[in-house]
Amino acid sequence: MYHLIALLIGFFIDLLLGDPHSIPHPVVWIGKLISAAEKLVRRMFPKTVRGENIAGGVLWVIVVLVSTAVPALLLYAAYRLHPAAGLVLESIMCWQILATRSLRDESMKVYAALKKGVPEEYRRAVSMIVGRDTAELDDLAVTRAAVETVAENASDGVIAPMLFLALGGAPLGFFYKAANTMDSMLGYIEMPYKNIGLVPAKMDDVLNYIPARLSALFMLAAGALLGMDAKNGWRIWRRDRRNHASPNSAQTESVCAGLLGVRLAGDAYYHGELHKKPYIGDALREIEYEDIPRAGRLLYATAALSLVLFGAVRFLLVM
């Protein structure tokens, strides 16, 4: 029951405060752990494809074990000290694991820059939230990239960690966050990460398989509640949910594209290299700046609906 209460408190703190840059964030520490572990395993194993694949697997085990064990031990000590101390600490952990407000806030920075009409500013703003090259993007391409980011990260930044938090509290939430952060840092198809990042990328696919599909269904329901085109959202999801190299990324992107009636994805440059990618959705209209705040509202509604449903299931399980 404490896990559920902590999740509820953490969710609302996240909505109120987001991720203040003045407060140290555990994901930064996880990132430093990943970097240190990467250097260690690269020295331990031969620089062959197989050797780097094994190194990536060992790295994954090290990072998830440390990232899960440390918060678990801290919470064990806090709850032993006093249940209130444990609840406060776990609520803070849940807040730091979720990224609902920060995802919306960062996309709205892109929206504000687009409204100002200065290419250097909106390209710089979108470069903070996407992995693709942004130096040559025009305003509509930047808008599309921002909407895609909100749609895709609604799953792995909000709904998936929320599910893990509901299932196993903050320790399981940090387990997921560590695995997802490794994919973000190492899961590239270019060298020097192609081989060492294979296991982290595949494990992230496994861990997100169910959450991504739940997120898509919750987003469809949220879109219907917001008065968006749920019929088209369902149609595009059914048609385009596999239009991505990842088995999970297009799940929520396709729903969002259908609900908004726009076309997302397509070819993009990463590290100077063109990546051919299929489109997601139909261009029933041209994408516009206002689609960014629309995606933000859809994100918030999806998160709220997911919290209610996960919370209800958790409550029934512990009663």
Side-chain angles (χ1 to χ4, degrees), residues 50-96:
R50 179 174 173 78
E52 291 189 350
N53 288 164
I54 295 173
V58 172
L59 183 152
W60 191 88
V61 171
I62 292 171
V63 172
V64 296
L65 281 179
V66 173
S67 300
T68 306
V70 170
L73 290 172
L74 290 173
L75 282 175
Y76 176 78
Y79 277 117
R80 285 292 297 264
L81 179 65
H82 195 280
L87 181 60
V88 168
L89 179 59
E90 188 162 16
S91 298
I92 292 172
M93 289 180 175
C94 291
W95 160 39
Q96 294 184 312

Coordinates of all heavy atoms in Angstrom, one line a residue, residues 50-96:
R50 N 31.7 -10.4 -31.0 CA 31.2 -11.2 -29.9 C 31.6 -10.7 -28.6 O 30.9 -10.7 -27.6 CB 31.7 -12.7 -30.1 CG 31.3 -13.6 -29.0 CD 31.6 -15.1 -29.3 NE 31.4 -15.9 -28.2 CZ 30.2 -16.4 -27.9 NH1 29.1 -16.1 -28.6 NH2 30.0 -17.2 -26.8
G51 N 32.9 -10.3 -28.5 CA 33.4 -9.7 -27.3 C 32.6 -8.5 -26.8 O 32.3 -8.4 -25.6
E52 N 32.3 -7.6 -27.7 CA 31.6 -6.4 -27.4 C 30.1 -6.7 -27.0 O 29.5 -6.1 -26.2 CB 31.7 -5.4 -28.5 CG 33.1 -4.8 -28.6 CD 33.2 -3.6 -29.5 OE1 32.2 -3.4 -30.2 OE2 34.2 -3.0 -29.6
N53 N 29.5 -7.7 -27.7 CA 28.2 -8.2 -27.3 C 28.1 -8.7 -25.9 O 27.2 -8.3 -25.1 CB 27.7 -9.3 -28.3 CG 27.4 -8.8 -29.7 OD1 27.3 -9.6 -30.6 ND2 27.2 -7.5 -29.9
I54 N 29.1 -9.5 -25.5 CA 29.2 -10.0 -24.2 C 29.4 -8.9 -23.2 O 28.8 -8.8 -22.1 CB 30.3 -11.1 -24.1 CG1 29.9 -12.3 -24.9 CG2 30.5 -11.5 -22.6 CD1 31.0 -13.3 -25.0
A55 N 30.3 -8.0 -23.6 CA 30.6 -6.8 -22.7 C 29.3 -6.0 -22.4 O 29.0 -5.6 -21.3 CB 31.6 -5.9 -23.3
G56 N 28.5 -5.8 -23.5 CA 27.2 -5.1 -23.3 C 26.3 -5.9 -22.4 O 25.6 -5.2 -21.6
G57 N 26.3 -7.2 -22.4 CA 25.4 -8.0 -21.5 C 25.9 -7.8 -20.1 O 25.1 -7.7 -19.2
V58 N 27.2 -7.9 -19.9 CA 27.7 -7.8 -18.5 C 27.5 -6.4 -18.0 O 27.1 -6.2 -16.8 CB 29.3 -8.0 -18.5 CG1 29.9 -7.7 -17.1 CG2 29.5 -9.5 -18.9
L59 N 27.6 -5.4 -18.8 CA 27.4 -4.0 -18.5 C 25.9 -3.8 -18.0 O 25.6 -3.2 -17.0 CB 27.7 -3.1 -19.6 CG 27.5 -1.5 -19.5 CD1 28.4 -0.8 -20.4 CD2 26.1 -1.1 -19.7
W60 N 25.0 -4.4 -18.8 CA 23.6 -4.3 -18.5 C 23.3 -4.9 -17.1 O 22.6 -4.3 -16.3 CB 22.7 -5.1 -19.5 CG 21.3 -4.8 -19.4 CD1 20.6 -3.8 -20.0 CD2 20.3 -5.5 -18.7 NE1 19.2 -3.8 -19.7 CE2 19.0 -4.9 -18.9 CE3 20.4 -6.7 -17.9 CZ2 17.9 -5.4 -18.3 CZ3 19.2 -7.2 -17.3 CH2 18.0 -6.5 -17.5
V61 N 23.8 -6.1 -16.8 CA 23.6 -6.7 -15.5 C 24.2 -5.8 -14.4 O 23.5 -5.6 -13.3 CB 24.2 -8.1 -15.5 CG1 24.2 -8.7 -14.0 CG2 23.5 -9.0 -16.4
I62 N 25.4 -5.3 -14.5 CA 26.0 -4.5 -13.5 C 25.1 -3.3 -13.2 O 24.8 -3.0 -12.0 CB 27.4 -4.0 -13.9 CG1 28.4 -5.2 -13.9 CG2 27.9 -2.9 -13.0 CD1 29.7 -4.8 -14.6
V63 N 24.7 -2.6 -14.2 CA 24.0 -1.3 -14.1 C 22.6 -1.5 -13.4 O 22.2 -0.8 -12.5 CB 23.8 -0.6 -15.4 CG1 22.9 0.6 -15.3 CG2 25.2 -0.1 -15.9
V64 N 21.8 -2.5 -13.9 CA 20.5 -2.7 -13.3 C 20.6 -3.3 -11.9 O 19.7 -2.9 -11.1 CB 19.6 -3.7 -14.2 CG1 19.4 -3.1 -15.6 CG2 20.2 -5.1 -14.3
L65 N 21.6 -4.1 -11.6 CA 21.7 -4.6 -10.2 C 22.0 -3.4 -9.3 O 21.4 -3.3 -8.2 CB 22.8 -5.6 -10.1 CG 22.5 -7.0 -10.6 CD1 23.7 -8.0 -10.5 CD2 21.3 -7.6 -9.8
V66 N 23.0 -2.6 -9.6 CA 23.3 -1.5 -8.7 C 22.2 -0.5 -8.6 O 21.8 0.0 -7.5 CB 24.6 -0.8 -9.3 CG1 24.9 0.5 -8.4 CG2 25.8 -1.7 -9.2
S67 N 21.5 -0.2 -9.8 CA 20.5 0.8 -9.8 C 19.2 0.3 -9.1 O 18.4 1.2 -8.6 CB 20.1 1.2 -11.3 OG 21.2 1.7 -11.9
T68 N 19.0 -0.9 -8.9 CA 17.9 -1.5 -8.2 C 18.2 -1.7 -6.7 O 17.4 -1.4 -5.8 CB 17.4 -2.8 -8.8 OG1 17.2 -2.7 -10.2 CG2 16.2 -3.3 -8.1
A69 N 19.4 -2.2 -6.5 CA 19.8 -2.5 -5.1 C 20.0 -1.3 -4.2 O 19.6 -1.3 -3.0 CB 21.1 -3.3 -5.1
V70 N 20.6 -0.2 -4.7 CA 20.8 1.0 -3.9 C 19.5 1.6 -3.4 O 19.4 1.8 -2.2 CB 21.7 2.0 -4.7 CG1 21.7 3.3 -3.9 CG2 23.1 1.5 -4.9
P71 N 18.5 1.9 -4.3 CA 17.3 2.4 -3.7 C 16.5 1.4 -2.8 O 15.9 1.8 -1.9 CB 16.5 2.8 -5.0 CG 17.1 2.0 -6.1 CD 18.5 1.9 -5.7
A72 N 16.6 0.1 -3.1 CA 16.0 -0.9 -2.3 C 16.6 -0.9 -0.9 O 15.8 -0.9 0.1 CB 16.1 -2.3 -2.9
L73 N 17.9 -0.8 -0.8 CA 18.5 -0.8 0.5 C 18.2 0.5 1.3 O 17.9 0.5 2.5 CB 20.0 -0.9 0.4 CG 20.5 -2.3 -0.1 CD1 22.0 -2.3 -0.4 CD2 20.2 -3.4 1.0
L74 N 18.2 1.6 0.6 CA 17.8 2.9 1.2 C 16.4 2.9 1.7 O 16.1 3.4 2.8 CB 18.0 4.1 0.2 CG 19.5 4.4 -0.2 CD1 19.5 5.5 -1.3 CD2 20.2 4.9 1.0
L75 N 15.5 2.4 0.9 CA 14.1 2.3 1.3 C 13.9 1.3 2.5 O 13.1 1.6 3.4 CB 13.2 1.9 0.2 CG 12.9 3.0 -0.9 CD1 12.1 2.4 -2.0 CD2 12.1 4.1 -0.2
Y76 N 14.6 0.2 2.5 CA 14.5 -0.7 3.6 C 14.9 -0.1 4.9 O 14.2 -0.2 5.9 CB 15.4 -1.9 3.3 CG 15.5 -2.9 4.4 CD1 14.4 -3.8 4.6 CD2 16.6 -3.0 5.3 CE1 14.5 -4.7 5.7 CE2 16.6 -3.9 6.3 CZ 15.6 -4.8 6.5 OH 15.6 -5.7 7.5
A77 N 16.0 0.7 4.8 CA 16.5 1.4 6.0 C 15.5 2.4 6.5 O 15.2 2.6 7.7 CB 17.9 2.0 5.8
A78 N 15.0 3.2 5.5 CA 14.0 4.3 5.9 C 12.7 3.7 6.5 O 12.2 4.2 7.5 CB 13.7 5.1 4.6
Y79 N 12.2 2.6 5.9 CA 11.0 2.1 6.4 C 11.2 1.4 7.8 O 10.3 1.4 8.6 CB 10.4 1.1 5.4 CG 9.5 1.7 4.3 CD1 9.9 1.6 3.0 CD2 8.3 2.4 4.6 CE1 9.1 2.2 2.0 CE2 7.6 2.9 3.6 CZ 8.0 2.8 2.3 OH 7.2 3.4 1.3
R80 N 12.4 0.9 8.0 CA 12.7 0.3 9.3 C 12.8 1.4 10.3 O 12.4 1.2 11.5 CB 14.0 -0.5 9.2 CG 14.0 -1.8 8.6 CD 13.1 -2.8 9.4 NE 13.7 -3.1 10.7 CZ 14.5 -4.1 11.0 NH1 14.8 -5.0 10.0 NH2 15.0 -4.3 12.2
L81 N 13.3 2.6 9.9 CA 13.4 3.7 10.8 C 12.0 4.2 11.2 O 11.7 4.3 12.4 CB 14.2 4.8 10.2 CG 14.4 6.1 11.0 CD1 15.2 5.8 12.2 CD2 15.0 7.2 10.1
H82 N 11.2 4.4 10.3 CA 9.8 4.8 10.5 C 9.0 4.7 9.2 O 9.5 5.2 8.2 CB 9.7 6.2 11.1 CG 8.3 6.5 11.7 ND1 7.2 6.8 10.9 CD2 7.9 6.5 13.0 CE1 6.2 7.0 11.7 NE2 6.6 6.8 12.9
P83 N 7.8 4.2 9.2 CA 7.0 4.1 7.9 C 6.9 5.5 7.2 O 6.9 5.6 6.0 CB 5.7 3.6 8.4 CG 5.9 2.8 9.6 CD 7.1 3.5 10.3
A84 N 6.8 6.6 8.0 CA 6.6 7.9 7.4 C 7.9 8.3 6.7 O 7.9 8.9 5.6 CB 6.3 8.9 8.5
A85 N 9.1 7.9 7.2 CA 10.3 8.2 6.6 C 10.5 7.5 5.3 O 10.9 8.0 4.3 CB 11.5 7.9 7.5
G86 N 10.1 6.2 5.3 CA 10.1 5.4 4.1 C 9.2 6.0 3.0 O 9.5 6.1 1.8
L87 N 8.0 6.4 3.4 CA 7.0 6.9 2.5 C 7.5 8.2 1.8 O 7.3 8.4 0.6 CB 5.7 7.2 3.2 CG 4.5 7.7 2.3 CD1 4.2 6.8 1.2 CD2 3.3 8.0 3.1
V88 N 8.1 9.1 2.7 CA 8.6 10.4 2.1 C 9.7 10.1 1.1 O 9.7 10.6 0.0 CB 9.2 11.2 3.3 CG1 10.0 12.4 2.7 CG2 8.0 11.8 4.1
L89 N 10.6 9.2 1.5 CA 11.7 8.9 0.6 C 11.2 8.2 -0.7 O 11.7 8.6 -1.8 CB 12.8 7.9 1.3 CG 14.0 7.5 0.4 CD1 14.8 8.7 -0.1 CD2 14.9 6.6 1.2
E90 N 10.3 7.3 -0.6 CA 9.8 6.6 -1.8 C 9.0 7.6 -2.7 O 9.1 7.5 -3.9 CB 9.0 5.4 -1.4 CG 8.6 4.6 -2.7 CD 8.1 3.2 -2.3 OE1 7.8 2.9 -1.1 OE2 8.1 2.3 -3.3
S91 N 8.3 8.5 -2.1 CA 7.5 9.5 -2.9 C 8.5 10.3 -3.7 O 8.2 10.6 -4.9 CB 6.7 10.4 -1.9 OG 5.7 9.6 -1.2
I92 N 9.6 10.7 -3.1 CA 10.6 11.5 -3.8 C 11.2 10.7 -5.0 O 11.4 11.2 -6.1 CB 11.7 12.0 -2.8 CG1 11.2 13.0 -1.8 CG2 12.9 12.6 -3.6 CD1 12.1 13.4 -0.7
M93 N 11.5 9.4 -4.7 CA 12.0 8.6 -5.7 C 11.0 8.4 -6.9 O 11.4 8.5 -8.1 CB 12.3 7.2 -5.2 CG 13.5 7.1 -4.3 SD 13.8 5.5 -3.6 CE 15.4 5.7 -2.7
C94 N 9.7 8.3 -6.6 CA 8.7 8.1 -7.6 C 8.7 9.4 -8.5 O 8.5 9.4 -9.7 CB 7.4 7.8 -7.0 SG 7.2 6.2 -6.3
W95 N 8.7 10.5 -7.8 CA 8.7 11.8 -8.5 C 9.9 11.9 -9.5 O 9.7 12.3 -10.6 CB 8.8 12.9 -7.4 CG 9.3 14.3 -7.9 CD1 9.0 14.9 -9.1 CD2 10.2 15.2 -7.3 NE1 9.6 16.1 -9.2 CE2 10.3 16.3 -8.1 CE3 10.8 15.1 -6.0 CZ2 11.2 17.4 -7.7 CZ3 11.6 16.2 -5.7 CH2 11.8 17.3 -6.5
Q96 N 11.1 11.5 -9.1 CA 12.2 11.6 -9.9 C 12.3 10.6 -11.0 O 12.9 10.7 -12.0 CB 13.5 11.5 -9.1 CG 13.6 12.7 -8.1 CD 14.9 12.6 -7.3 OE1 15.3 11.6 -6.8 NE2 15.6 13.8 -7.3

